[in-house]
Amino acid sequence: MKDYIEERVLTIAVYITENNATVREAAKRFGVSKSTVHKDMVDRLAEISPSLSGEVRKVLDVNKQERHIRGGMATREKYLQRKG
């Protein structure tokens, strides 16, 4: 694996764990696609740092469980802004 990819993977992983960030937030912050962040966190990070991979997995699992709630809140806000 190329050095710059390894550095990106570790930087994004630390950002996700420190900020409890979503894949979408991390992608926006680092200027890469959501697919790239997901591939980095699920596949590449496990090869580089298994312990950090476990921490990131916990954050991503929580985010996945809360996904439907965040979507509902965003929709609610959208319609409240339109109304008033």
Side-chain angles (χ1 to χ4, degrees):
M1 187 177 317
K2 298 189 179 192
D3 290 341
Y4 74 93
I5 294 175
E6 206 168 300
E7 185 178 333
R8 179 187 71 215
V9 170
L10 292 172
T11 303
I12 294 174
V14 169
Y15 175 79
I16 288 175
T17 55
E18 287 179 352
N19 299 295
N20 289 323
T22 63
V23 169
R24 187 177 296 236
E25 291 167 345
K28 187 174 183 181
R29 168 76 169 80
F30 292 97
V32 294
S33 71
K34 293 182 300 183
S35 300
T36 299
V37 173
H38 191 266
K39 173 89 172 165
D40 286 352
M41 296 305 104
V42 174
D43 296 337
R44 295 182 179 128
L45 186 58
E47 294 175 19
I48 298 169
S49 174
S51 60
L52 185 56
S53 178
E55 292 177 38
V56 169
R57 173 54 50 203
K58 288 177 189 173
V59 173
L60 295 180
D61 287 345
V62 169
N63 289 342
K64 189 173 183 180
Q65 290 172 354
E66 295 174 351
R67 179 174 54 189
H68 68 284
I69 296 169
R70 288 189 188 134
M73 289 171 32
T75 302
R76 181 174 186 265
E77 287 297 317
K78 175 182 169 182
Y79 286 107
L80 286 175
Q81 287 178 357
R82 280 188 181 177
K83 193 174 187 180

mmCIF file of all heavy atoms in Angstrom, residues 42 49 51:
data_model
loop_
_atom_site.group_PDB
_atom_site.id
_atom_site.type_symbol
_atom_site.label_atom_id
_atom_site.label_comp_id
_atom_site.label_asym_id
_atom_site.label_seq_id
_atom_site.Cartn_x
_atom_site.Cartn_y
_atom_site.Cartn_z
ATOM 1 N N VAL A 42 -13.067 0.140 6.480
ATOM 2 C CA VAL A 42 -13.477 -1.260 6.600
ATOM 3 C C VAL A 42 -12.370 -2.217 6.167
ATOM 4 O O VAL A 42 -12.096 -3.213 6.844
ATOM 5 C CB VAL A 42 -14.773 -1.510 5.795
ATOM 6 C CG1 VAL A 42 -15.126 -2.973 5.777
ATOM 7 C CG2 VAL A 42 -15.910 -0.697 6.372
ATOM 8 N N SER A 49 -3.822 -1.138 11.204
ATOM 9 C CA SER A 49 -3.917 -1.060 12.660
ATOM 10 C C SER A 49 -5.202 -1.736 13.138
ATOM 11 O O SER A 49 -6.249 -1.097 13.221
ATOM 12 C CB SER A 49 -3.903 0.408 13.102
ATOM 13 O OG SER A 49 -4.139 0.504 14.470
ATOM 14 N N SER A 51 -6.215 -2.599 16.066
ATOM 15 C CA SER A 51 -6.817 -2.039 17.277
ATOM 16 C C SER A 51 -7.596 -0.758 16.963
ATOM 17 O O SER A 51 -8.717 -0.572 17.453
ATOM 18 C CB SER A 51 -5.746 -1.749 18.329
ATOM 19 O OG SER A 51 -4.806 -0.818 17.830
#
